[in-house]
Amino acid sequence: MLPLALGLTVVAAVSWARGPWGALWPRQGCAALGRCCPGRDPTCAARGPPRCFCDQACVTVRDCCPDYAWACPAVSCIVAEWSGWSRCVKPCQVSYRVRQRHVLQEPRNGGAPCPPLEERAGCVEYQNHQGVECQQSLFPALITTGSYGKEREKRGVPKKQEVVGYCVQFRLGPIAGSCQQARAPHAQWTRYLTQGHTVCVRCEWPAQDARSRRCYGDGSGLLLWQAAGHPRCRGSWERLGQLRDCSCPEVHRLVFI
């Protein structure tokens, strides 16, 4: 009888300390503690008995205070919109451009973490930082998604040159397997490149040669190409002809850079 009596006494004491059926008395719980802690923090404990916690790990350990869910709600990370793309880091060679975003709200209490704050994409600029036109040719032909042509800034070029351009149709030959394994967001377009498919490639300033008004890589026979920003993605293609407009599906609409 004595062990049973002691057990009932402990249960009664716990019930009295926590109030009826788990309710908290004043100055107990996470709200009274005024803290919600990341990870596992032994000091982030509210009054007992029994002792309960207000740290993020209490959800896994199952020793949270009864008011943890509303006193320490999960807050996910919030980030701003992407900035515009920067200029190419290095002119006159295959390089990359950068865009960034910043954190508006840090995650708390197990909320979703922040996504990447920087992205890079391949690019080429045909003038150096002093505005002098680059002299060397690039081989193989460098291509990227057609949307890059819309983003590309027209710096220091007469208005009539901005509209001069043409579209070339190619049939894709053998393609490196790494094209299908692209993970970076800016390189996802390479996953749609398949041998035998037809692609439309826009040739426009500044990829056009100043004298011939043609893009390097727009020739006859079997030619080589490489995806800007994903150097292991490369292959060959055969020129089919020149078009007035690039009428291919969007995933097969590219641009020389």
Side-chain angles (χ1 to χ4, degrees):
M1 293 296 291
L2 183 57
L4 178 60
L6 289 174
L8 292 174
T9 301
V10 171
V11 171
V14 172
S15 298
W16 174 256
R18 296 184 63 82
W21 295 103
L24 294 169
W25 293 109
R27 302 185 66 183
Q28 286 186 317
C30 300
L33 180 65
R35 296 173 60 197
C36 299
C37 311
R40 186 55 171 172
D41 187 348
T43 68
C44 197
R47 290 188 174 192
R51 197 181 190 201
C52 60
F53 290 84
C54 303
D55 58 6
Q56 183 179 337
C58 75
V59 177
T60 304
V61 182
R62 297 185 179 181
D63 57 2
C64 298
C65 294
D67 66 342
Y68 176 81
W70 66 264
C72 302
V75 177
S76 297
C77 178
I78 298 178
V79 296
E81 295 294 324
W82 286 111
S83 67
W85 287 102
S86 70
R87 296 189 63 171
C88 291
V89 174
K90 296 180 180 180
C92 300
Q93 60 181 285
V94 181
S95 183
Y96 64 90
R97 53 197 173 122
V98 180
R99 66 175 182 175
Q100 298 174 325
R101 54 187 173 184
H102 61 274
V103 176
L104 299 176
Q105 178 175 274
E106 295 283 356
R108 300 195 306 272
N109 309 327
C114 295
L117 302 179
E118 181 178 291
E119 279 189 349
R120 296 183 178 187
C123 65
V124 172
E125 284 189 6
Y126 289 81
Q127 291 183 342
N128 63 24
H129 292 158
Q130 289 71 44
V132 179
E133 186 172 344
C134 306
Q135 297 302 313
Q136 70 268 32
S137 296
L138 296 167
F139 183 86
L142 293 167
I143 57 173
T144 189
T145 177
S147 61
Y148 176 62
K150 300 176 183 178
E151 301 167 4
R152 183 157 45 189
E153 293 183 14
K154 309 293 193 285
R155 296 186 179 92
V157 174
K159 193 68 178 177
K160 63 179 182 179
Q161 271 194 300
E162 294 187 11
V163 297
V164 174
Y166 61 93
C167 186
V168 190
Q169 194 173 44
F170 294 92
R171 180 182 294 111
L172 294 172
I175 297 173
S178 58
C179 297
Q180 306 298 321
Q181 301 168 5
R183 295 183 179 180
H186 65 266
Q188 291 298 303
W189 63 273
T190 64
R191 299 170 70 95
Y192 296 97
L193 300 177
T194 305
Q195 182 174 354
H197 283 188
T198 300
V199 296
C200 297
V201 188
R202 182 78 181 170
C203 175
E204 59 187 10
W205 182 92
Q208 284 176 307
D209 180 79
R211 295 176 294 277
S212 68
R213 293 287 186 262
R214 303 195 72 82
C215 287
Y216 188 78
D218 172 23
S220 59
L222 194 63
L223 304 169
L224 301 178
W225 57 266
Q226 176 182 312
H230 188 6
R232 290 188 300 169
C233 178
R234 57 179 65 206
S236 62
W237 58 19
E238 181 183 5
R239 192 181 196 274
L240 299 180
Q242 186 169 319
L243 303 174
R244 181 188 179 100
D245 298 303
C246 287
S247 55
C248 295
E250 185 172 358
V251 293
H252 289 157
R253 203 175 303 161
L254 310 173
V255 63
F256 288 106
I257 69 169

